[in-house]
Each structure stands twice: as C-alpha cells, then as structure tokens.
Amino acid sequence: MVRRHELTDAQWRKIELLLPVGGRPGGQWAEHRKVINGVLFRARTGVPWPDLPERYGPWQTVYERHRRWSADGTWQRILAELQIEADATDPDDALARGLERGWAVNIDSTSCRAHQHAAGARHRPPDDFPEKRGGARVEAEGREALGRSRGGLTTKIHLLADDRARPLTWQTTPGQRGDSRMLPPVLSGLRIGRGGPGRPRCRPDRVRGDKAYSSRGNRAYLRRRGIKATIAEPDDQRDNRRRRGRAGGRPPAFDTAQYRQRNAVERCVSKWKQFRAVATRFDKRDYLFNGTLTVAAIAIWLRDTVQEPSETT
C-alpha cells in the first residue's frame, strides 16, 4: 500500500536507476525505496528524526542516508536528471497566452523561519562536508546561512522557477540578505542538461523579477549575456530618472503580458512550503537544509513529469 507522500510505482521506476548501487566497502545499502520514503515523510511533516514511523526502518539509517547524499551531491544529481530538457517550450502554449516563443525563468526569494534546533552547529564542519571534499557546493555566505531579520532567526532562499512552477536552482543566504545582489549568482547556477549531446543550457531567453531586482547593475548584467529582462521598476527609481531629465536615460523596456507570468515563482514557493521541513528550517547545517530543499524539489518534479497509469474498472 502506498501512503500519502510516498513514491508511487511509476515515480520509483523514474529514479530507481539514478541511485547508487553500493554502500560502504564490505557493506550494502538498506532498501532504497523504504529509506527515501522515510526522508520524504520527514520533509513533508517536519518531525524530528527519532520520531519517524517504524515502517521506514531505524531512524539513524534514514538520517545517515539523507546526510550522506546531501553531502556527496546524490540528491542534486537526481534532480538534474529530472530537469533534462526543462528548457523545452511548448509553442502552442506560448501562442495561446499571447507570448513570444522562448525559455523564460522567474526569480524571487522567500524566508524560512529557523527553529531553535537549527541553531548551535559546531564551528568545525564534518569530515565529508562539501567544501572540504572539493565538491561543487560551497558553504553559503554567513555562518550556515542563518541570520537575524525582523522575523527572527531566518534563512532566505533565492530561487529560479520555470513557467510550470518548478524549482530550477537556488541559493541560501542569511535572512537579512537583500535580493538584488543575488540575481547574478543565482542565475550563474542554472544548468539544464540535454537529452542528447551538447553542453547544459545556462542562459535563458528571458528573466522575470519584481521590483526588488531592479537596478542598473542587474539590467546591465542581463544585457551583456543577451537575456531579456522583464523587471518592474520601483517608484523611487522612476522618479529619480524623470527628475534628471535627458540625463536620466530612457525608461527600461517592460512587457506587461510577460510580467503576468511571474506568479509562477510564487506558486513554486507555495508548493515548496507544503513541506514543513522547508517552511521551517530544522537542519543545523546549510548543506543538510539544501538536501531537504532538493528532496522537496524532486517530489515536485516527479509529480509534474510522471504520468500515473489510469485505473481500469
């Protein structure tokens, strides 16, 4: 019997071949599907690891698997495989919405309140910490991506989402970090693989963002890369430009029809925060929290891309 929030048979077949085939030398993994279902249960409910139901096996096994796969990039590799050809656009859908053809992404940020259990990590990272192993991920700016904002101890997630409200890439920072300066680093982390030969695609045709991302630097950065910008201009910048007259330059191009599609990133955040371990951060380490974010993103992508067989009567 498949319970709520667990992998269905079709979803399991989608990722089964992407999982590691062996454990430590001389040992074997516990059953992957049962352990992954335990990780999904914890991400969805936010329960402490020792409170996992017994049907998922020893909680130490589930936690250690999640910790190890968060450190060595296994979760990220699974997500990258699910995202292959995510830049493919449906021309009929674009025509129906009155939009030009092309691959557009949407940027925004969201704050996650950190539970008191998320504080107090040791200054010395574990031995298999990504930065010590020379892995692709490095520690976020700020100690474990925790900071003080008006909401208290928080972590901020800066993310890109596609028009189907699916997370593409993200970065975590302390909660007080502003949004505008994070556009270039978040966009530089975008890499969508291809089903055949060819390098991953890292340059969308258009980026949509709200007023927080409106700045000369961001617009110049996108222009240099040949990316169209649909970013709202705040009132103070508009008034300052008008006050300077001809020296203020022309107003930036703004497509209202394109901007209406920016709500996809807000819908993506709503999907993500249905997982309580995302809405509230319980993980002490930043790389562990990013692993939890990736597990939730994998579940979102599986729900969107895997077609369940229809029941026959």
Side-chain angles (χ1 to χ4, degrees):
M1 180 182 67
V2 177
R3 296 177 173 84
R4 286 187 68 204
H5 320 314
E6 294 185 352
L7 294 174
T8 64
D9 292 338
Q11 292 173 347
W12 169 245
R13 289 192 294 270
K14 182 75 173 180
I15 68 171
E16 183 178 8
L17 298 179
L18 306 176
L19 302 174
V21 295
R24 291 178 176 176
Q28 281 190 328
W29 295 106
E31 183 185 350
H32 278 325
R33 185 170 182 177
K34 181 171 68 173
V35 172
I36 292 175
N37 283 335
V39 175
L40 288 171
F41 179 88
R42 185 262 177 180
R44 186 73 182 196
T45 61
V47 299
W49 289 104
D51 293 341
L52 281 177
E54 294 181 359
R55 62 177 177 268
Y56 300 121
W59 71 266
Q60 296 94 334
T61 300
V62 182
Y63 166 76
E64 183 61 25
R65 187 80 53 85
H66 175 60
R67 189 196 67 79
R68 189 180 304 172
W69 285 1
S70 298
D72 64 15
T74 299
W75 292 128
Q76 287 75 14
R77 286 192 292 272
I78 295 173
L79 180 61
E81 288 294 324
L82 296 176
Q83 290 178 342
I84 287 179
E85 303 293 357
D87 60 327
T89 56
D90 186 351
D92 295 333
D93 180 61
L95 182 63
R97 291 185 295 173
L99 304 175
E100 62 184 13
R101 295 179 58 181
W103 180 37
V105 297
N106 310 278
I107 188 169
D108 205 353
S109 70
T110 183
S111 294
C112 300
R113 183 68 182 270
H115 192 269
Q116 60 184 0
H117 293 168
R122 295 182 179 180
H123 285 264
R124 180 182 178 183
D127 292 336
D128 56 357
F129 188 71
E131 190 177 55
K132 295 183 68 174
R133 296 182 302 100
R137 255 201 65 74
V138 296
E139 187 176 4
E141 187 175 354
R143 173 147 165 74
E144 300 297 347
L146 287 172
R148 294 284 180 179
S149 65
R150 286 186 294 180
L153 193 64
T154 54
T155 292
K156 183 174 281 189
I157 307 171
H158 308 264
L159 75 148
L160 288 177
D162 64 5
D163 284 348
R164 294 171 64 175
R166 302 174 299 187
L168 297 174
T169 186
W170 61 88
Q171 287 198 12
T172 52
T173 65
Q176 74 274 12
R177 185 58 40 79
D179 293 350
S180 180
R181 61 181 290 190
M182 292 302 299
L183 186 146
V186 173
L187 199 58
S188 65
L190 182 63
R191 295 178 63 85
I192 301 300
R194 302 181 185 273
R199 293 178 298 177
R201 186 172 181 185
C202 57
R203 184 179 302 177
D205 299 306
R206 182 180 296 271
V207 171
R208 308 187 190 104
D210 60 16
K211 296 178 180 180
Y213 298 94
S214 178
S215 71
R216 290 180 179 270
N218 285 343
R219 295 182 189 276
Y221 170 79
L222 296 174
R223 189 163 51 249
R224 287 194 303 270
R225 299 192 63 190
I227 302 173
K228 297 179 181 179
T230 302
I231 301 176
E233 187 181 25
D235 294 339
D236 59 339
Q237 293 182 11
R238 184 183 302 110
D239 295 341
N240 182 56
R241 175 174 48 78
R242 290 174 176 173
R243 186 169 53 251
R244 297 179 62 189
R246 295 180 61 181
R250 293 179 297 178
F254 183 73
D255 191 327
T256 305
Q258 285 283 350
Y259 191 71
R260 292 195 187 101
Q261 306 304 316
R262 193 195 63 84
N263 68 82
V265 68
E266 297 172 353
R267 290 187 281 118
C268 176
V269 170
S270 297
K271 290 181 181 181
W272 229 352
K273 288 196 171 182
Q274 290 177 11
F275 294 83
R276 295 192 176 189
V278 173
T280 302
R281 173 177 170 175
F282 300 100
D283 300 300
K284 291 182 184 293
R285 297 289 186 185
D286 176 58
Y287 81 97
L288 267 178
F289 183 56
N290 272 275
T292 301
L293 293 173
T294 309
V295 168
I298 290 172
I300 293 172
W301 276 83
L302 285 174
R303 286 201 301 262
D304 186 83
T305 58
V306 176
Q307 298 294 329
E308 299 294 337
S310 58
E311 295 182 1
T312 58
T313 57

